[in-house]
Amino acid sequence: MNLFLIILLIVAGYFICFVLAASRLDSRTSLSTLALVVLLIYGCAAGIIILIGKYFGQSGLLLYAVCLVYSLAYWIWKGYQSTGKRHKIQWGPFLTLLAYILAILYLTLITRESGAEHRIQMHVFNWLNSSAQSNNISTFSHTFSNFVMFIPLGIVFPFITENTEKKFVAGASFGMLLSVLIETGQLLFHSGLCDIDDILANTLGAAAGALLSAVYLKVKRNKKLRQ
């Protein structure tokens, strides 16, 4: 089951990359050629990651590093792009998002006693292991709770500005950044388990919420164009 989910995740990642690449190109580009190019690039990158993970024996640690580097690089680049631009902030969604982030930080960092726990879990899909569930390290209910907890964050985030571009990517990337910071904070302050599965669940939850908002905004925009 673990291997099946990993393969499914890799295949889903390819189709996401293909869709993102296709959305940036004009209609004159051959989809079959684009699919082949994306497959070669994505396949090489995925193969290198798998080989490195297999060599070091901790694929989750490599995935954690990828999430950390990507989320930081994405938001540094977004901040650089926003330099000199004025984005009108929607204060209602912004304050709602801020309150929700503070609530998450309160539950995951502030309320936990420092020094109570100092562990790191970098086995991907560890919650599927029966031994892990028997030891109450990372159960399905815990992983599902982390997924659900970040859905509202992904829903609210796209509404904080009037800019309608790349809402899904921004919402998912913001969820990933916040999750990585929380898990790293739990490790540094010895206040919880730094778990790669939590990062994946949080990111998927934020992505699911952002997808709902992106679909809603697209339908709303198309409705206005028809009027």
Side-chain angles (χ1 to χ4, degrees):
M1 178 64 75
N2 197 347
L3 179 60
F4 171 75
L5 287 176
I6 291 176
I7 294 175
L8 183 62
L9 185 63
I10 292 175
V11 173
Y14 166 74
F15 281 105
I16 292 174
C17 291
F18 174 74
V19 171
L20 291 176
S23 65
R24 288 175 169 267
L25 298 177
D26 54 46
S27 57
R28 293 174 297 177
T29 305
S30 172
L31 290 179
S32 58
T33 302
L34 177 63
L36 180 60
V37 172
V38 173
L39 178 61
L40 290 174
I41 298 175
Y42 180 81
C44 291
I48 292 173
I49 292 175
I50 292 172
L51 288 175
I52 294 176
K54 186 176 181 180
Y55 178 78
F56 288 104
Q58 287 285 356
S59 57
L61 187 60
L62 178 63
L63 188 57
Y64 168 80
V66 170
C67 291
L68 176 62
V69 172
Y70 166 78
S71 56
L72 288 175
Y74 177 86
W75 286 108
I76 290 174
W77 174 247
K78 291 290 287 186
Y80 173 77
Q81 284 186 320
S82 299
T83 304
K85 296 181 180 180
R86 291 184 179 182
H87 296 290
K88 186 177 180 180
I89 297 177
Q90 305 296 316
W91 288 104
F94 177 79
L95 294 176
T96 301
L97 179 68
L98 181 61
Y100 195 78
I101 292 174
L102 292 176
I104 292 176
L105 294 177
Y106 179 79
L107 292 173
T108 57
L109 289 176
I110 300 175
T111 58
R112 299 187 179 184
E113 183 180 353
S114 180
E117 189 174 18
H118 182 205
R119 290 186 297 164
I120 185 169
Q121 196 293 111
M122 288 295 149
H123 295 286
V124 182
F125 303 128
N126 186 63
W127 51 272
L128 290 174
N129 298 331
S130 57
S131 58
Q133 295 201 24
S134 62
N135 293 328
N136 198 29
I137 296 176
S138 180
T139 62
F140 172 77
S141 60
H142 173 76
T143 303
F144 184 72
S145 297
N146 277 283
F147 172 80
V148 173
M149 181 172 64
F150 270 59
I151 291 178
L153 184 143
I155 292 176
V156 177
F157 184 83
F159 292 95
I160 62 176
T161 66
E162 292 183 337
N163 181 22
T164 59
E165 297 180 357
K166 303 177 183 178
K167 292 291 189 178
F168 171 74
V169 176
S173 300
F174 182 76
M176 178 185 291
L177 176 63
L178 181 61
S179 181
V180 169
L181 294 178
I182 289 174
E183 296 300 314
T184 304
Q186 288 179 342
L187 177 64
L188 295 177
F189 297 108
H190 299 187
S191 58
L193 175 66
C194 180
D195 194 337
I196 184 62
D197 284 344
D198 288 353
I199 295 175
L200 294 177
N202 293 154
T203 303
L204 289 175
L211 180 61
L212 292 175
S213 293
V215 171
Y216 168 78
L217 290 171
K218 185 175 182 179
V219 171
K220 184 179 179 181
R221 184 168 59 250
N222 291 338
K223 187 179 292 185
K224 286 185 177 180
L225 292 176
R226 295 193 192 99
Q227 292 176 353

